[in-house]
Amino acid sequence: MLPTKLVDSALKAWTIEQRRHFHMNPELSGQEFETAAYVRKTLTAFGISIDENYSAPNVVAYLQGTEGKKTIALRADMDALPIEEEGENKPYISRNPGVSHACGHDGHTAILLAVAKWMSSNQDQVKNNIKFIFQSSEEASPSGAEQLVKEGVLDGVDSIFGIHLMQNLPIGKIGFATGPAMASCNDFDIKIKGIGGHGGQPQDAIDPIYIASHLIQAFQSVVSRSLHPLHAGVISFGGIQAGNSFNVIPSEARLTGTIRAMTYEAADLMHTRTKQLTESICASFGATGDYEYIIGTPPLYNHPEACEYAEKIIAQTFGADTFSVMDPSMGAEDYSYYLKEKMGAFINVGMQSNKSEYPHHHPKFDIDEDAIPTAIELMIQLALNK
């Protein structure tokens, strides 16, 4: 575990207690009402005012700084995943069947509560105004971040910071990518409508399965031949459904998948080309292709100025060898909606260890709680010194 300056053993123990409470009582995206009620009650006990101008179950709170010249926003996500948790002899295993905090949001929520607790007890050291954002629905669409931005959560905010406890980063390290850091995530749902028929008489049918095989191949040409070679992008098919008999050509086939890109331009290009290919290839076989594009999250861009500041804080607080330059990820995060509007950064706090050996979204995923004090300290220092 990294050394900390402001976080003592009592605050660490309190935070772990909160984290385990959230872990045992997970709620899915958009359903975090009990979690939100607990957060509201805790913040109110600290004397921190709740801003009632935002949709539930989001919780937004505000602490006036001693100088109040800047407003720094800090964000945590609260939702869990529809995953049945696995684990032997775990005293804080999920009590909600089929739902678990398999990504670490329970830790994020507890950490931001700990930051609020420390600041409420040390208000003389908090010169900036602090906006605490406890966000619903990071794991689902529509995005909780997008909704809060539409509701004006960043009005008057100068910069915003968020953290993620990261299993693939060793404990003792803090890292991020500067600039393009995470991909956009948009999905597609294609229905190919042909003409069904007998499997032994294909000349009388228009086979949507055969057409689907052409689309699967053609979509990969978008990445290899339409996208600039230096602009990262991925198109992956996640599902194909068609027919239920050995000797019947079905009348319809359905393809679903995801499009990931590091830039808005790449995402737009891949959307345009996959739609064109769907319609033209289907038409060439005498079928129709209904293409639905499902908007998810935009690319996450870590602002260089905020990254430079964060790296400086990390070095001063934990030592220069703590920072780790990370490669951009094709994973997605709706924190990107905040960074689309305001300067800031999304920072990974390492927790990979024997206690945290399973990846995010695995049924046995768990947090190494020794990483928690580092995350608390980092968020406090980022907010105090900006």
Side-chain angles (χ1 to χ4, degrees):
M1 184 181 67
L2 297 174
T4 56
K5 297 180 179 180
L6 303 175
V7 181
D8 59 20
S9 59
L11 184 57
K12 175 186 176 181
W14 182 88
T15 310
I16 290 173
E17 181 183 352
Q18 309 312 306
R19 180 257 161 171
R20 293 187 177 189
H21 167 81
F22 295 130
H23 192 89
M24 289 188 289
N25 299 279
E27 296 175 289
L28 293 175
S29 303
Q31 302 175 25
E32 310 98 320
F33 292 100
E34 292 299 323
T35 301
Y38 188 96
V39 168
R40 291 170 67 92
K41 180 180 178 181
T42 305
L43 291 170
T44 301
F46 296 157
I48 297 176
S49 59
I50 308 296
D51 190 332
E52 303 292 354
N53 293 314
Y54 303 99
S55 57
N58 298 292
V59 181
V60 179
Y62 186 83
L63 180 67
Q64 179 70 39
T66 57
E67 296 182 7
K69 295 178 181 179
K70 294 181 180 179
T71 298
I72 311 301
L74 303 173
R75 175 268 205 170
D77 36 16
M78 301 189 294
D79 52 334
L81 288 159
I83 296 174
E84 182 73 32
E85 185 171 17
E86 299 176 4
E88 298 178 359
N89 303 318
K90 183 185 289 185
Y92 49 87
I93 197 165
S94 171
R95 297 170 177 169
N96 189 353
V99 182
S100 65
H101 272 293
C103 197
H105 296 186
D106 52 336
H108 303 165
T109 302
I111 286 162
L112 190 54
L113 273 182
V115 172
K117 178 178 175 63
W118 186 92
M119 289 184 175
S120 68
S121 300
N122 298 274
Q123 292 192 40
D124 59 317
Q125 298 183 49
V126 185
K127 64 180 181 180
N128 297 318
N129 306 321
I130 308 298
K131 182 170 279 192
F132 301 94
I133 301 172
F134 293 86
Q135 179 207 308
S136 165
S137 301
E138 189 278 323
E139 297 282 4
S141 184
S143 155
E146 182 184 21
Q147 181 64 33
L148 283 172
V149 169
K150 288 179 179 178
E151 293 172 359
V153 75
L154 295 181
D155 291 352
V157 168
D158 293 283
S159 56
I160 180 167
F161 295 95
I163 61 99
H164 201 299
L165 295 169
M166 190 56 61
Q167 190 276 335
N168 63 359
L169 184 67
I171 193 167
K173 294 291 185 179
I174 302 172
F176 51 79
T178 299
M182 299 184 76
S184 61
C185 177
N186 302 302
D187 299 329
F188 57 83
D189 189 340
I190 298 169
K191 293 181 178 64
I192 303 169
K193 298 181 180 179
I195 297 175
H198 195 291
Q201 298 173 319
Q203 73 278 6
D204 296 327
I206 297 177
D207 187 347
I209 296 177
Y210 178 70
I211 298 169
S213 71
H214 283 264
L215 285 183
I216 292 170
Q217 294 296 321
F219 274 29
Q220 300 313 315
S221 73
V222 176
V223 175
S224 65
R225 287 297 177 265
S226 297
L227 192 64
H228 191 294
L230 299 181
H231 294 176
V234 169
I235 300 175
S236 293
F237 287 87
I240 177 169
Q241 296 87 36
N244 55 16
S245 178
F246 288 103
N247 64 345
V248 176
I249 295 172
S251 60
E252 291 190 8
R254 182 185 181 197
L255 294 172
T256 55
T258 188
I259 294 175
R260 306 288 177 107
M262 279 294 173
T263 66
Y264 289 93
E265 294 79 9
D268 290 343
L269 181 145
M270 289 194 286
H271 171 207
T272 299
R273 290 292 293 129
T274 52
K275 186 175 188 295
Q276 291 172 340
L277 287 169
T278 298
E279 294 171 351
S280 61
I281 289 175
C282 288
S284 72
F285 286 101
T288 60
D290 294 335
Y291 181 101
E292 181 185 2
Y293 191 64
I294 304 163
I295 300 294
T297 57
L300 190 151
Y301 182 83
N302 272 337
H303 296 263
E305 181 182 339
C307 290
E308 182 180 357
Y309 166 71
E311 188 173 350
K312 178 182 176 181
I313 291 296
I314 292 166
Q316 291 177 345
T317 307
F318 306 109
D321 60 346
T322 299
F323 178 69
S324 179
V325 177
M326 299 187 71
D327 292 330
S329 167
M330 297 308 290
E333 233 287 348
D334 77 349
Y335 189 86
S336 56
Y337 280 107
Y338 301 119
L339 296 180
K340 186 179 177 182
E341 303 295 327
K342 295 289 182 176
M343 184 180 69
F346 190 60
I347 301 170
N348 298 297
V349 177
M351 63 164 192
Q352 184 184 66
S353 69
N354 291 334
K355 296 179 182 178
S356 182
E357 60 180 319
Y358 294 98
H360 298 270
H361 294 208
H362 189 283
K364 291 185 179 180
F365 172 87
D366 202 0
I367 290 172
D368 187 334
E369 294 170 332
D370 280 343
I372 284 176
T374 297
I376 302 170
E377 179 84 20
L378 177 62
M379 294 195 87
I380 293 173
Q381 296 287 1
L382 288 169
L384 291 186
N385 294 289
K386 185 64 179 170

